[in-house]
Amino acid sequence: MTADLLGCDAGGPAAAASVTAAVPAPGTVPVPGTVPVPGTVPASGTVPAPGTVPAPAPVSGTAAVTSPVSPDEYADRLARLRAAMRRRGLAALALASPENIHYLLGLDHLGHFAFTLLVLPRSGPPVLVARRMERRTLREQVPHVRHALYGDGRDPARVAAQELERACPAGGTVGVEEQSMSFPPAVLTRIRARLPGLRWTDCSALPARLRRIKSPAETALVRRAATVSGVAMGAALATADVGVSERDVAAQAQRAMTEAGGQQPGFVPLIRSTARLGQEHVTWCEHRIGPGEGLFVELSGCVHRYHAPMSRTVYCADPPPGARVAAGAAFAGLAAARAALVPGVRTGEVYAAWADAVAESAGRRPCRHHCGYLTGAGFPPSWVGGGSVLGIRAGGRTRVRAGMVFHLMSWVEHPAGYVVSDTALVGENGCELLTGTPDAPPGLLTVPAPG
């Protein structure tokens, strides 16, 4: 890797060459209909590299997709969760978040806008309460689960209450995922009203703890998503130039993401001028990049719902005063956080290492609320796996463990706006950046102003 890895190069084709070095191999967008070069997401029917999860082969006569996670692994996940239920004295669980249902059963679709509930008894088959319209998807993807369906215009709380009554003895305790954005309080209130003989407790943290440590199959999917992220980022940065609209950058990034083997991510790419950098979840508009203006790009590839987010900042033409200092501070912070992210440390120690490095480089201590967070499987509208996120925050007490995957973010706002981030996998002996940022700060290559 060379030092000049981010920014717009001196016009035209050279820009794409500069970006190629900035992202993990491959750095180019595959031509439609071609087989990607080694290191890309494997095409269906190819032999994947050792340690990767093979792409699902098409099933004759159907559009079915084979799960990349084995039935034995799903069985183990359910067994570990049920062991936790027994320790807590729970007769059943009621889980509504798409990420937990995906993790435990393998359901992967976009129908979660309609109420969907996994009822998990302490023994026996799981039960999925879902909209009747989704019955064919359920039969195809989760045939090993009993389906309790409700029709449009019917109250899903009635069906959910019936299944919980079957699963729980009188006086039993139900663990409820109360903190899920997918479990409307009104529905939960109606369920409880129908079951006055049961007791209720919040169990939102129970499945979330199990999902923190990724299995080998999960990390293989994250690696595939990281490759997609790199291809999409390469396309975005190759497109960025003075006079180019944010929308055009987004179009190329999303096209590249899909052609590289990605599916719809939890977030669309977040692409905006650094003038709007602080509007954290705002994305592209018709605005065209002006001379000396920065462009922020944050995106993630998605493979079987697993994500690998990354972000880059590029300045076109004449960077504003302080941009080089901010870039150096952002990369110094990312390198420090990466070095500190090892098994056994607490998340607050990682945050302190990041903040110290940024302060030393920029001369001002950052006050950012976090420098990263756990990521993995996610459904719209998020790639972090739900509304409550385990972040790397000041004073954080969570122990880092091997198998955790974080989106490490080095967000610097002074003396100028500059952000760089990567997906990091914690190993037994340290941290690996899957999306491939180099340790050294890049030069800020620029595009001369037109004329």
Side-chain angles (χ1 to χ4, degrees), residues 147-296:
H147 307 148
L149 307 178
Y150 64 88
D152 287 5
R154 303 294 184 178
D155 186 5
R158 181 182 64 82
V159 179
Q162 289 173 347
E163 296 305 326
L164 285 168
E165 188 173 32
R166 288 193 183 102
C168 298
T173 301
V174 180
V176 182
E177 194 183 7
E178 292 182 354
Q179 298 178 38
S180 171
M181 296 184 296
S182 299
F183 208 145
V187 175
L188 179 56
T189 297
R190 295 199 301 274
I191 293 173
R192 285 175 167 168
R194 289 176 174 270
L195 301 170
L198 298 182
R199 293 179 294 176
W200 308 84
T201 186
D202 183 20
C203 72
S204 302
L206 209 59
R209 289 195 190 102
L210 293 182
R211 289 172 38 216
R212 287 181 181 179
I213 309 300
K214 304 296 185 287
S215 70
E218 290 179 290
T219 56
L221 292 171
V222 174
R223 288 182 185 278
R224 287 173 57 184
T227 298
V228 175
S229 298
V231 172
M233 183 62 74
L237 298 185
T239 305
D241 202 343
V242 172
V244 174
S245 72
E246 296 171 359
R247 175 180 52 78
D248 288 339
V249 175
Q252 294 307 312
Q254 293 195 103
R255 175 187 175 186
M257 187 181 295
T258 303
E259 290 179 347
Q263 65 186 122
Q264 180 196 23
F267 275 135
V268 296
L270 301 175
I271 298 172
R272 60 186 181 273
S273 164
T274 50
R276 296 185 294 145
L277 183 61
Q279 300 180 35
E280 304 227 4
H281 297 106
V282 169
T283 190
W284 71 85
C285 64
E286 295 297 325
H287 175 73
R288 294 185 180 274
I289 305 167
E293 189 172 15
L295 183 71
F296 168 72

Side-chain angles (χ1 to χ4, degrees), residues 40-57 65-70 73 77 215-225 303-304 306:
T40 64
V41 179
S44 177
T46 63
V47 179
T52 64
V53 177
V65 175
T66 303
S67 171
V69 177
S70 71
E73 181 163 334
R77 293 173 183 180
S215 70
E218 290 179 290
T219 56
L221 292 171
V222 174
R223 288 182 185 278
R224 287 173 57 184
V303 176
H304 288 283
Y306 284 83

Side-chain angles (χ1 to χ4, degrees), residues 254-448:
Q254 293 195 103
R255 175 187 175 186
M257 187 181 295
T258 303
E259 290 179 347
Q263 65 186 122
Q264 180 196 23
F267 275 135
V268 296
L270 301 175
I271 298 172
R272 60 186 181 273
S273 164
T274 50
R276 296 185 294 145
L277 183 61
Q279 300 180 35
E280 304 227 4
H281 297 106
V282 169
T283 190
W284 71 85
C285 64
E286 295 297 325
H287 175 73
R288 294 185 180 274
I289 305 167
E293 189 172 15
L295 183 71
F296 168 72
V297 180
E298 182 181 12
L299 54 77
S300 179
C302 178
V303 176
H304 288 283
R305 303 313 326 158
Y306 284 83
H307 293 75
M310 65 186 300
S311 61
R312 298 291 186 270
T313 309
V314 61
Y315 281 91
C316 296
D318 300 319
R324 294 185 186 279
V325 173
F331 274 85
L334 186 66
R338 175 188 181 183
L341 192 65
V342 296
V345 303
R346 296 191 186 273
T347 50
E349 297 175 74
V350 181
Y351 182 93
W354 169 76
D356 288 347
V358 172
E360 181 178 356
S361 185
R364 180 170 175 173
R365 193 167 187 83
C367 57
R368 182 81 180 161
H369 60 290
H370 67 58
C371 68
Y373 48 82
L374 274 179
T375 187
F379 283 73
S382 174
W383 58 45
V384 299
S388 179
V389 183
L390 174 59
I392 302 176
R393 308 180 191 278
R397 303 295 296 167
T398 301
R399 290 280 185 191
V400 175
R401 295 174 60 189
M404 287 182 168
V405 177
F406 289 91
H407 181 200
L408 276 186
M409 298 197 77
S410 192
W411 189 297
V412 174
E413 296 178 293
H414 301 283
Y418 201 98
V419 183
V420 62
S421 72
D422 278 293
T423 293
L425 170 63
V426 181
E428 294 293 344
N429 300 310
C431 168
E432 176 188 359
L433 295 186
L434 302 183
T435 39
T437 299
D439 294 324
L444 286 177
L445 301 181
T446 60
V447 175

